[in-house]
Amino acid sequence: MAFKEGFTWGVATSSYQIEGAAYEGGKGLSIWDMFCKQPGKVYGGHTGEVACDHYHLFKDDIKLMKEMGIQAYRFSISWARILPEGTGRVNEKGLNFYSELVNELIANGIEPYVTMFHWDLPYELYKKGGWMNPESPRWFEEYAAVVTAELSDRVQYFITLNEPQCFVGLGHIDGIHAPGLKQSVADTLQMAHHILLAHGRGVKAIRNHAKQEVKVGYAPTASMHYPETDCPQDIKAAKKALFQMPKDLSSNWAWNISWWSDPVFFGKYPEDGIELFGDLMPKIQEGDMEIISQPLDFLGQNIYNGLEVREGKDGEPEFIPRHKGFPKTALGWPITPKALYWGPKFLYERYKKPIYITENGLSCHDVISLDGKVHDPNRIDFLHRYLKELKRTAADGIDIAGYFQWSFMDNFEWHSGYEDRFGLVFVDYQTQKRIVKDSGHWYKEVMETNGKFL
Ligand code: FCB
């Protein structure tokens, strides 16, 4: 037994990265609309104003998904398209867009997986302090309720937040993503607390407004550490490294699992983090941890790579430096297939929830060849190696419910603009023409055979 029967094979995207139509259909501005206007922030001065023009081309895109044999589609909703001011007034045109998108998916036999928040916070809310505002969990609750009321008669799968590690870490600590801030540790910790509360209130709102039985999850990320060898000492060290908090505050503290997932699944912050942060800890009101730890149906985890770990001489985890010439993607991310074996295993052992890999993939230097096709052997090789490892973990009895490849098509890769191509489908941004890459054809076979040949 490897991938179970009914395993979900899908692809993922997010609103700002593909939709375009930034100023159309009554949409309000988001922090990404504003961030891209600042010179020097995004590669080549690129913006998501047009992106893949999916807002207008969604029917063609879904037709293509069907041809590619895609069974499930994870996409996100642009909050500012639904609530242009972030709260209050609902933009019916925005709701209609997603409603039609869902209808089209269902008509083509593709299961929708809706992510409520993939980083494009309404700018009007940012002006009120964004996630620093203690009201922000309520804002998210209101928004999640509106989306759920509209879509849940047809949508069964909802994900609250995508990668808090990134939108807090890159957006509010390193400042390289919108809104481009470099906040203090105390402020980001308070913000993280609000974000976790927003997740919890979001889960409540989804369940309260759902028109059918729904499945609700969460999609964090992080580096998935894996052991150098299969000896018990290294395995123990890798697992410890995966869940421990940083030892000091000099690095980006947000890049970890426990701070973001322990409160959600266990209702408490990790002890080593509490000790590390000391008097910088956020204010926790009575009842907060109950709100944050609403029962979830699954854990979504975005997994791209990890670090190799062994047990050091002192018995503590030791990170192994990458050797010279270590394989890497076009974006320079390390290629570490074992992250997809050990990551889900360690996560499942700790959190005991069915796991969806909600994102995994890579950027390549894709070009249209003389024959008019896009040959991307590196992507096929990468996905093959990673999926083999995921299959091994599933064969070990780890409850893996599905896998979403990032991404359906090339798109706006945040501060890298259109420089990096992550898609199974090539997008010519001059003409908006789509070409299914070799990897797209290969992935079709994976899905059709439930990964049998991997
Ligand atoms: C993840 C993001 C996604 C995309 C991929 C490459 O961190 O969730 O939007 O940018 O990386």
Side-chain angles (χ1 to χ4, degrees), residues 109-121:
I110 301 167
E111 182 85 50
Y113 281 66
V114 168
T115 305
M116 293 285 181
F117 183 73
H118 199 128
W119 308 356
D120 43 356
L121 186 79

Side-chain angles (χ1 to χ4, degrees), residues 94-377:
L95 275 183
N96 288 344
F97 167 67
Y98 293 108
S99 191
E100 276 186 49
L101 178 72
V102 164
N103 287 343
E104 201 67 21
L105 287 168
I106 290 169
N108 285 280
I110 301 167
E111 182 85 50
Y113 281 66
V114 168
T115 305
M116 293 285 181
F117 183 73
H118 199 128
W119 308 356
D120 43 356
L121 186 79
Y123 189 61
E124 291 303 319
L125 295 183
Y126 170 73
K127 289 201 280 188
K128 293 182 184 160
W131 296 112
M132 272 313 282
N133 191 318
E135 282 302 302
S136 55
R138 298 267 181 197
W139 302 336
F140 185 70
E141 181 177 17
E142 179 184 335
Y143 158 63
V146 174
V147 173
T148 308
E150 176 72 21
L151 301 180
S152 63
D153 55 335
R154 290 151 292 156
V155 174
Q156 215 198 333
Y157 297 91
F158 289 94
I159 291 164
T160 53
L161 309 174
N162 183 72
E163 298 188 351
Q165 285 87 351
C166 284
F167 72 86
V168 171
L170 302 176
H172 300 82
I173 298 177
D174 297 338
I176 60 167
H177 275 191
L181 304 179
K182 291 186 179 181
Q183 294 180 163
S184 68
V185 175
D187 284 357
T188 46
L189 283 170
Q190 190 60 50
M191 170 174 275
H193 190 64
H194 297 155
I195 289 167
L196 287 165
L197 280 166
H199 158 81
R201 289 199 172 277
V203 176
K204 274 187 161 186
I206 294 168
R207 297 218 195 271
N208 289 343
H209 292 85
K211 303 207 166 126
Q212 61 172 319
E213 206 194 306
V214 288
K215 304 257 186 248
V216 190
Y218 175 49
T221 187
S223 173
M224 289 294 135
H225 307 323
Y226 56 90
E228 181 188 30
T229 71
D230 283 358
C231 79
Q233 293 81 348
D234 285 349
I235 295 174
K236 205 170 137 216
K239 193 169 173 178
K240 184 169 180 193
L242 184 63
F243 295 111
Q244 76 189 2
M245 289 293 293
K247 294 271 180 255
D248 61 66
L249 296 174
S250 60
S251 58
N252 180 336
W253 71 265
W255 196 248
N256 74 86
I257 293 180
S258 311
W259 200 258
W260 297 106
S261 290
D262 281 14
V264 165
F265 293 102
F266 302 150
K268 56 180 199 250
Y269 283 113
E271 288 300 330
D272 57 346
I274 297 174
E275 208 175 296
L276 170 75
F277 296 132
D279 58 7
L280 302 177
M281 276 293 287
K283 272 194 214 75
I284 303 173
Q285 315 276 356
E286 215 191 308
D288 281 4
M289 299 319 284
E290 284 72 46
I291 295 174
I292 293 171
S293 56
Q294 294 300 305
L296 287 182
D297 301 294
F298 62 90
L299 166 63
Q301 187 81 28
N302 297 353
I303 300 182
Y304 287 91
N305 50 60
L307 278 165
E308 198 169 40
V309 177
R310 67 175 156 233
E311 188 188 71
K313 291 209 177 65
D314 57 355
E316 286 299 302
E318 181 182 297
F319 289 99
I320 302 170
R322 295 201 170 102
H323 62 73
K324 285 193 204 99
F326 199 91
K328 59 178 186 181
T329 70
L331 190 48
W333 291 2
I335 301 179
T336 59
K338 281 188 184 168
L340 219 47
Y341 174 78
W342 291 103
K345 201 184 190 75
F346 289 155
L347 287 164
Y348 187 68
E349 285 168 2
R350 187 173 178 96
Y351 298 120
K352 302 185 172 58
K353 287 283 171 192
I355 293 177
Y356 283 90
I357 307 304
T358 30
E359 285 181 28
N360 169 245
L362 77 162
S363 66
C364 293
H365 292 299
D366 300 318
V367 292
I368 305 175
S369 290
L370 273 176
D371 62 5
K373 296 182 180 162
V374 180
H375 305 294
D376 57 343

